[in-house]
Amino acid sequence: MPSNTTAPPAKKKKGRRARLIVLVLVLALVAGVGYGAYWGVSTVRGSFPQTTGSIRLDALSGPVEVKRDANGIPQIYADNEADLFRAQGYVQAQDRFYEMDVRRHTTAGRLSEMFGKSQVDTDAFLRTLGWRKVAQEEYDKVLSAETKKNLQAYAEGVNAYLKDRDPADISVEYAALAFTGDYTIEPWTPVDSVAWLKAMAWDLRGNMQDEIDRSLMTSRLKPQQIKDLYPGYPYELHQPIVDRGAVDKVTGKFDPEAEPKEGGDAASGGTGTSGGQNGIQSQLAALSDALDEIPALLGPNGNGIGSNSWVVSGNYTTSGKPLLANDPHLAPMLPSLWYQMGLHCRSVSATCRYDVAGYTFSGMPGVIIGHNDSIAWGFTNLGADVTDLYLEKIGTDGYVVDGKTKAFVTRDEVIKVAGEDDRPITIRSTEHGPLVSDRSTELERVGQTAPVGNAAPDRGTGYGVSLRWTALQPGKSMDAVFALNRAKDFTSFRAAAKDFEVPSQNLIYADTAGNIGYQAPGKIPVRTKGTAYDGTLPAPGWDSSYDWKGYVPYAELPYEYNPKRGYIVTANQSVIDEKKYPYLLTRDWGYGSRSQRINDLIESKLKDGGKISPDDMQTMQRDNRSEIATLLNPLLLKIDISDPQVREAQKLLEGWDYTQEPDSAAAAYFNAVWRNVLKLAFGNKLPKELRVEGECINVRVADTTGPVDEQNKLVAECGERDPDTAQPDGGDRWYEVVRPLLKQEKNEWWKTPGDRLDPATETRDQLLARAMKDARWELTAELGKDVSTWSWGRLHQLTLKNQTLGTAGPGFVQSMLNRGPWNLGGGEAAVDATGWNAAGGYDVIWVPSMRMVVNVGDWDRSRWINLSGASGHAYHSHYTDQTEKWVKGELLDWSYGQAAVEATTQDTLKLEP
């Protein structure tokens, strides 16, 4: 249930401001202020979709039925594929067109046309990345004729909805935009749909932020200290997805039954160094700031965000058929990222092949995650390293590679700005990719004061920074979506996965014949630099030996089919032991806390011949045990605390079972202690570019230019990072950082300087005692002096926000468009992954964006839930009607078969040609 407390103030992002004067006026009318009451109510209701009766659509070739259940979830029935996708476009536009329109403006770098000059810098960066440009190239040159036909049909359906419709009748947000008189809705195009995959790939791009962070750390930390903060994957503790198998050297294919051998090419390792590496801190910090400005459409990019999926063979289930669960962890938003839907050919045949249901993206045809009548599938982010930053030696005539100057590839673009003059920009690219440093005045001075190693050429005016990324090459991922929807067995499933090039995902599988499987697809670069460059730091672009040497062949990517253990778990952990596999996929995996917990839960159910039920799968999704607490809590209880009020808080941890329920006082206190341990041991020692914006610490700065009494003085140094992406974030990488240190009572990381209130710490127990004290007084300020009233949920709150007009402005405006807060359980790196950033605070910043448990073969006994609801219209009954059940961990029945759909239908809309 929503708490009775006031939601914490929204964090404001730089450069993300809507035209609030217009917004306030319109929403005041919507709320019924003054004489505008009637107009406001009619405007809101005027955008609600028609869900009963009949509507004529010229684009259709035959009749279509749209059946909606009590939650407004549509199931579409048509006689041919073109009409099926036309109807999908029409129905999604009915419920979500404003969301679709904002997305396409984002992917095209055209937000300034909607929201004015505040978005110019963001648009310039997005234009430089060129998402829309690459999507156009995919559509023109790469995608199959069949895929293009489906995209065209979808666009026809969207445009049939838009035709002759006033913007205010489409969504209330357009009522705000209409007052300016400078925005009109354009027709939907097939490329608008394709471009959404680029945004998805961007938010799931892997280790780019880690690459930047490691580089920034060199300004303050020694190489060994940085290595401490990025430990290797703990294979001895956390099982990878694929626990056997190898690339057969004769066939050149991955064999899931082969016994792997030690000493794969990836094992040579290295730290990836390049000349001038230590001299680009300010420039990379500016790039990090620029990345913060790009709307995170899926969620904060980093180690903590991910997903869970697992599949259990029917040999180990109560139904005798496989069970498959999936819950992607993404940013909470209104409306939810996902849109539930069924797409059904009335008679499945060679000319109408779709009978599929699941989770879709508004603005894109087909189903992304779900099942058809033969197979089910789920996704989690593989996290492959598919991006590299290159330092470029640039001059007026071009950039240097192997001692020769090459000309930039340039293009000119114009950013249109609502109410202002157009802004022209020039985009330059090297052979590695777009020169992202051109989008920052700070980055223009790259390398001017950088110390340059012997490997670097004379820097002249400095380095540029370019981005190489697999998604900037045209690919076939859109083809893969439709092929997955039609797949009937593991062979056709793997054939479809081959084209799912970006973003690289873990795909799990189950079918009605009882088979389960896994495939790691994706376009993953091969790096073969002799010095073991591994993509963990920016590379010297002037040395071609650091270039990519192709991509891992699909036939050699890991997969599994009916493994002997009887189940497969993917939760962003390592795919396969890198010492036993010839290719380096990444060095920045999730560290496996969630995945191992799921493995352990499954094993505990199967012990002594047990079977797993759908209810068990659902219970596992709600598991909120804190893995770091199992390590740290026993030590905290041994600390001798003399302060009676801190001792009172310490007692909360006695007998705690490490679960993080919303009403748990122990979970609240432990997480506060963990946050303060991280801050004291690591956070205050990181450079300002990684610490939270506005949080200041005193640092000693040597200054030999001034008076003697002012030399080596303490000065305030304030953090610069957005709270959602600052470090240390507290994810399971930090579990592995701390794990070995807990056995070293006098490690250097435990040492902290004293201040006027607290003495310096020298040992582990001294720092833990300080963290316990600091946490006690932090929670006293947040939750009150009486520890018996503390609860984790009061700290750990979820607020669902409209992603444009609900993220800034006066509080009453946000309260109209946003919903919440809700007090949540779960936590960082728990299976119930309600993520929070320990550097930034306790607010929930990513969540299981949906949950599903698929009962393979008995499809109508499957269950699902969305974070919010089917509708994107504020005040509609389906705006957040699933959220209360989602908070409680409940699932809705998922009707699929025609009889079950008919039995649960509440509204039927007939679309007639």
Side-chain angles (χ1 to χ4, degrees), residues 137-462:
E137 292 173 358
E138 285 184 2
Y139 185 80
D140 291 342
K141 302 175 183 179
V142 177
L143 296 178
S144 70
E146 180 179 335
T147 292
K148 289 196 271 191
K149 179 182 176 182
N150 293 342
L151 290 164
Q152 289 163 355
Y154 181 89
E156 289 169 3
V158 175
N159 292 328
Y161 174 74
L162 297 178
K163 184 180 179 183
D164 301 326
R165 200 176 294 270
D166 187 84
D169 294 331
I170 294 174
S171 188
V172 68
E173 289 92 340
Y174 288 116
L177 294 169
F179 273 99
T180 68
D182 59 2
Y183 181 76
T184 57
I185 296 175
E186 297 176 356
W188 193 263
T189 73
V191 180
D192 293 333
S193 297
V194 178
W196 171 238
L197 282 172
K198 300 302 171 186
M200 179 180 172
W202 176 256
D203 282 348
L204 300 175
R205 64 191 179 273
N207 78 333
M208 184 174 169
Q209 191 66 59
D210 286 326
E211 189 174 334
I212 293 171
D213 288 354
R214 272 187 287 259
S215 299
L216 294 172
M217 287 179 184
T218 61
S219 68
R220 181 157 294 174
L221 302 180
K222 299 175 183 178
Q224 181 57 48
Q225 290 177 306
I226 297 174
K227 187 176 181 180
D228 289 346
L229 301 187
Y230 287 90
Y233 186 86
Y235 289 101
E236 71 284 0
L237 296 173
H238 298 158
Q239 178 179 317
I241 297 171
V242 176
D243 61 0
R244 57 188 296 115
V247 175
D248 188 293
K249 294 193 175 181
V250 177
T251 65
K253 296 181 179 180
F254 187 86
D255 179 358
E257 296 303 320
E259 287 295 335
K261 297 180 180 179
E262 298 285 342
D265 291 346
S268 58
T271 56
T273 59
S274 60
Q277 183 63 55
N278 291 340
I280 61 166
Q281 276 70 32
S282 63
Q283 293 75 30
L284 288 173
L287 175 57
S288 184
D289 287 345
L291 297 180
D292 273 345
E293 299 303 323
I294 298 179
L297 298 176
L298 302 188
N301 185 271
N303 173 258
I305 192 167
S307 306
N308 301 324
S309 71
W310 65 96
V311 61
V312 182
S313 166
N315 294 330
Y316 301 102
T317 68
T318 56
S319 67
K321 294 287 188 180
L323 295 173
L324 186 150
N326 198 184
D327 56 290
H329 306 155
L330 304 171
M333 59 184 69
L334 262 182
S336 165
L337 179 80
W338 300 106
Y339 185 92
Q340 296 150 288
M341 179 176 258
L343 300 171
H344 308 279
C345 291
R346 289 193 180 96
S347 178
V348 178
S349 66
T351 57
C352 195
R353 296 163 292 173
Y354 293 88
D355 189 13
V356 60
Y359 293 87
T360 72
F361 288 138
S362 301
M364 208 173 88
V367 169
I368 304 301
I369 294 173
H371 71 83
N372 57 33
D373 62 344
S374 300
I375 76 165
W377 68 93
F379 282 8
T380 63
N381 194 23
L382 192 149
D385 184 358
V386 296
T387 61
D388 274 341
L389 295 172
Y390 283 86
L391 307 184
E392 305 285 6
K393 172 64 177 72
I394 60 175
T396 55
D397 298 327
Y399 62 102
V400 175
V401 178
D402 295 336
K404 298 179 181 179
T405 298
K406 294 190 173 184
F408 294 111
V409 175
T410 64
R411 69 180 190 273
D412 295 324
E413 297 204 13
V414 176
I415 299 173
K416 297 184 181 297
V417 185
E420 305 237 352
D421 294 336
D422 296 348
R423 311 289 175 88
I425 63 170
T426 297
I427 297 164
R428 301 188 294 174
S429 296
T430 72
E431 61 187 27
H432 300 119
L435 204 64
V436 291
S437 52
D438 281 352
R439 299 283 73 87
S440 165
T441 55
E442 183 73 18
L443 283 168
E444 288 175 1
R445 300 190 293 275
V446 169
Q448 287 181 0
T449 60
V452 179
N454 292 332
D458 176 37
R459 65 172 170 261
T461 57

Side-chain angles (χ1 to χ4, degrees), residues 793-867:
R794 287 176 60 201
L795 278 178
H796 190 52
Q797 293 189 322
L798 167 69
T799 299
L800 295 179
K801 298 180 181 180
N802 178 291
Q803 287 301 287
T804 56
L805 306 183
T807 57
F812 84 90
V813 171
Q814 296 186 25
S815 69
M816 292 175 183
L817 287 178
N818 301 339
R819 299 293 181 269
W822 287 268
N823 295 342
L824 297 191
E828 176 64 34
V831 179
D832 184 12
T834 55
W836 55 287
N837 186 307
Y842 304 99
D843 289 347
V844 176
I845 59 175
W846 62 78
V847 293
S849 56
M850 62 80 158
R851 298 185 183 101
M852 73 178 193
V853 175
V854 182
N855 202 320
V856 177
D858 194 357
W859 304 116
D860 293 326
R861 295 181 63 192
S862 301
R863 305 171 187 169
W864 60 353
I865 198 77
N866 206 349
L867 175 62

Side-chain angles (χ1 to χ4, degrees), residues 531-733:
T531 56
Y533 175 67
D534 59 8
T536 57
L537 291 169
W542 54 83
D543 183 347
S544 63
S545 65
Y546 284 84
D547 288 351
W548 295 353
K549 310 301 180 184
Y551 302 93
V552 179
Y554 181 71
E556 299 182 40
L557 286 169
Y559 76 95
E560 282 191 318
Y561 188 57
N562 294 328
K564 293 179 182 178
R565 65 182 175 277
Y567 62 89
I568 302 169
V569 175
T570 85
N572 317 111
Q573 79 270 40
S574 176
V575 170
I576 189 169
D577 191 332
E578 65 180 25
K579 297 183 180 64
K580 302 173 183 179
Y581 185 67
Y583 298 105
L584 177 65
L585 302 180
T586 185
R587 294 208 187 279
D588 290 305
W589 300 111
Y591 279 73
S593 288
R594 281 182 291 109
S595 62
Q596 192 57 46
R597 176 62 175 166
I598 297 167
N599 274 290
D600 292 346
L601 289 170
I602 293 173
E603 285 291 340
S604 68
K605 290 297 298 184
L606 299 182
K607 187 177 180 181
D608 300 325
K611 301 278 187 176
I612 292 177
S613 70
D615 287 345
D616 293 330
M617 301 283 276
Q618 185 176 346
T619 299
M620 291 177 196
Q621 288 181 327
R622 300 198 305 267
D623 184 84
N624 58 29
R625 174 185 167 102
S626 169
E627 294 304 304
I628 187 59
T630 66
L631 294 175
L632 190 55
N633 198 62
L635 293 175
L636 298 178
L637 290 174
K638 293 179 181 178
I639 303 293
D640 184 13
I641 300 295
S642 58
D643 186 319
Q645 296 189 75
V646 179
R647 172 63 184 141
E648 183 182 33
Q650 184 187 35
K651 288 181 179 179
L652 295 173
L653 303 178
E654 295 176 358
W656 179 42
D657 62 0
Y658 311 137
T659 60
Q660 300 174 93
E661 296 295 331
D663 61 356
S664 171
Y669 183 56
F670 174 81
N671 282 315
V673 173
W674 171 236
R675 166 173 150 84
N676 280 278
V677 167
L678 292 170
K679 179 179 179 181
L680 291 167
F682 310 105
N684 290 346
K685 299 167 187 175
L686 296 177
K688 63 182 183 300
E689 294 88 355
L690 274 69
R691 300 199 316 271
V692 174
E693 181 179 9
E695 291 189 1
C696 304
I697 60 174
N698 290 323
V699 297
R700 196 166 296 280
V701 177
D703 180 7
T704 59
T705 61
V708 174
D709 60 351
E710 293 184 11
Q711 294 179 13
N712 200 29
K713 60 185 177 181
L714 286 172
V715 298
E717 181 189 79
C718 299
E720 298 177 353
R721 182 68 63 84
D722 182 274
D724 290 353
T725 58
Q727 293 293 336
D729 62 18
D732 62 357
R733 170 165 70 89

